[in-house]
């Protein structure tokens, strides 16, 4: 794994107070990467649906974790973490064993079902719109991994299409500042983003062990 500064690494965060369960992020991801049926790199879930005052929606995908549990359990070592913190994998190495799915706290790894017995193909997951292992951003890579918007200086398509700007993505320090400004403006919420459960599970290994169920 390449060395990186935690404040400069790229991270995702969904502001639950802004998410309206429109699924715009999920649809944008499906369309931009031309994902096959059954593969959802990003999805929106709603907790306490129908319960007044307790309903919460949030957008979930690969969070590109600090130590990436998926990479720790992979028997063929197909994962790699870039210097900017983006967690990617090589589909040509992946054997479809599914260990990464069981290790991931966010259920991010996806597996295509092939044939009548549902045999799995190579794993697919959110790439933070950073493509695959090739630096060339070739047509072959685009076909296998989807758009590489990061190489074009663009934010991931899910965040770009979020109508309420609930889905934040960028350098850690920048996201913390944006979220902090929002909390001050609305007068409630976690004053320190590092104290939110999503942040702890994804970006701090010690906290993940503490909060794992």
């Amino acid at each position: 794994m390449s060395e990186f500064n935690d404040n400069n690494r790229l991270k995702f965060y969904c502001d639950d107070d802004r998410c309206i369960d429109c699924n715009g992020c999920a649809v944008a991801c499906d369309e931009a990467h031309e994902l096959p049926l059954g593969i959802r790199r990003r999805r929106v879930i709603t907790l306490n649906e129908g319960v007044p005052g307790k309903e919460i929606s949030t957008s979930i995908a690969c969070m590109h974790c600090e130590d990436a549990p998926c990479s720790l359990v992979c028997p063929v070592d197909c994962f790699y973490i870039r210097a900017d913190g983006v967690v990617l994998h090589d589909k040509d190495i992946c054997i479809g064993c599914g260990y990464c799915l069981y290790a991931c706290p966010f259920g991010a790894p996806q597996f295509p079902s092939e044939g009548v017995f549902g045999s799995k193909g190579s794993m697919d997951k959110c790439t933070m719109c950073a493509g695959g292992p090739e630096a060339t951003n070739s047509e072959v890579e685009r076909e296998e991994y989807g758009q590489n918007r990061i190489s074009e200086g663009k934010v991931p398509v899910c965040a770009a299409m979020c109508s309420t700007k609930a889905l934040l993505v960028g350098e850690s320090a920048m996201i913390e500042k944006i979220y902090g400004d929002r909390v001050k403006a609305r007068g409630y919420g976690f004053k320190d983003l590092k104290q939110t459960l999503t942040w702890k599970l994804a970006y701090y290994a010690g906290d993940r062990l503490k909060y794992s169920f």
Side-chain angles (χ1 to χ4, degrees):
M1 180 176 71
S2 302
E3 293 294 328
F4 51 77
N5 183 321
D6 185 66
N7 287 325
N8 295 331
R9 64 174 297 180
L10 298 178
K11 297 180 179 179
F12 273 125
Y13 187 76
C14 182
D15 187 344
D16 298 340
D17 284 285
R18 288 196 173 210
C19 182
I20 58 174
D21 192 21
C22 69
N23 277 275
C25 55
V27 173
C29 179
D30 292 349
E31 292 294 323
H33 301 299
E34 300 179 2
L35 301 180
L37 291 176
I39 296 293
R40 301 301 304 274
R41 291 186 179 180
R42 179 167 290 281
R43 62 194 186 281
V44 178
I45 63 170
T46 299
L47 304 176
N48 305 316
E49 190 168 3
V51 181
K54 294 185 178 181
E55 189 172 287
I56 298 175
S57 295
T58 191
S59 179
I60 293 180
C62 174
M63 294 296 288
H64 302 272
C65 300
E66 176 194 46
D67 60 345
C70 54
S71 70
L72 298 178
V73 301
C74 179
V76 294
D77 197 26
C78 74
F79 288 90
Y80 58 101
I81 303 178
R82 302 188 344 169
D84 56 10
V86 178
V87 178
L88 299 175
H89 72 294
D90 191 328
K91 289 188 177 184
D92 292 332
I93 298 176
C94 175
I95 58 175
C97 66
Y99 286 2
C100 54
L101 175 59
Y102 294 111
C104 177
F106 302 101
Q110 303 284 297
F111 290 90
S113 181
E114 300 174 352
V116 68
F117 295 109
S119 60
K120 295 192 294 290
S122 296
M123 188 270 282
D124 190 279
K125 76 172 188 67
C126 160
T127 64
M128 201 181 277
C129 288
E134 293 182 16
T136 58
N137 194 16
S138 65
E139 284 298 321
V140 173
E141 184 186 56
R142 181 187 176 95
E143 180 69 24
E144 195 164 9
Y145 299 93
Q147 290 187 10
N148 189 339
R149 292 171 58 89
I150 297 296
S151 68
E152 300 171 358
K154 301 175 182 177
V155 299
V157 68
C158 54
M161 295 301 291
C162 181
S163 59
T164 61
K165 302 307 175 189
L167 190 55
L168 302 174
V169 61
E171 294 180 349
S172 178
M174 180 190 70
I175 293 179
E176 289 185 54
K177 182 180 185 309
I178 293 173
Y179 182 80
D181 290 343
R182 289 181 179 182
V183 168
K184 289 179 182 177
R186 63 193 179 212
Y188 65 90
F190 287 91
K191 293 183 179 180
D192 184 358
L193 188 59
K194 293 185 176 69
Q195 297 306 309
T196 62
L197 184 57
T198 301
W199 204 263
K200 288 180 177 181
L201 287 175
Y203 305 124
Y204 299 102
D207 285 323
R208 181 184 306 117
L209 294 175
K210 185 190 305 181
Y211 288 95
S212 294
F213 300 103

